[in-house]
Amino acid sequence: LAKTTQPISMDSYEGQEVNITCSHNNIATNDYITWYQQFPSQGPRFIIQGYKTKVTNEVASLFIPADRKSSTLSLPRVSLSDTAVYYCLVVPGGYQKVTFGTGTKLQVIP
Amino acid sequence: DADVTQTPRNRITKTGKRIMLECSQTKGHDRMYWYRQDPGLGLRLIYYSFDVKDINKGEISDGYSVSRQAQAKFSLSLESAIPNQTALYFCATSDSDRGPTDTQYFGPGTRLTVL
């Protein structure tokens, strides 16, 4: 399983765009990049997944460069309710076992 | 109603006691997982099950056992609890027939304290 590296923590003011970058230098051809969000005292929640280029949904955007060795989760105009831990995972296609690292703790400031 | 439920939500027990944490799901998923979360260590996989007859050890299975009683139920047991098993425990499910990879759905967690 490919190892990921992401910042331990980030602070942002309300209304700003937040970009969290994840490095995954040894990503394999059949791996997908997946992000989960975990609010305090809750289980993680899937937010977005991509293989290459850009993916956007109602929660976030995911940017993946051509070499796929890194990815950036973008949260537009964050609010206080976006304060959470964000986990970047590299998940093999069709494979079940995943590894959650320690994630990035995002603190949104009023 | 929540799709993935865990009971109890909070439990305090003493060293040496046997304790069972239960997980039930109404999502119809075939795969179920147990994780523990400790401050600063992220989530670590204890056991996982791909179907009723399949049980697999995760990263940290020592001191734990599981039972998959039905597709919808997956229980985690601590045969003789010890203080370093104090943690937040999460159950998760996923569907092998959906999407290119496993997307996991987590329960609300059980906070276990072993004195």
Side-chain angles (χ1 to χ4, degrees), chain B residues 19-23 34-35 46-47 64-67 74-78 89:
Chain B
I19 186 167
M20 179 181 288
L21 308 182
E22 299 187 346
C23 176
W34 275 105
Y35 291 89
I46 306 172
Y47 271 96
Y64 302 94
S65 63
V66 291
S67 173
F74 193 36
S75 300
L76 177 71
S77 294
L78 287 68
Y89 289 84

Side-chain angles (χ1 to χ4, degrees), chain A residues 51-55 62-66 68:
Chain A
Y51 184 81
K52 60 182 179 180
T53 64
K54 176 183 175 183
V55 179
L62 179 59
F63 298 92
I64 305 168
R68 305 199 327 122

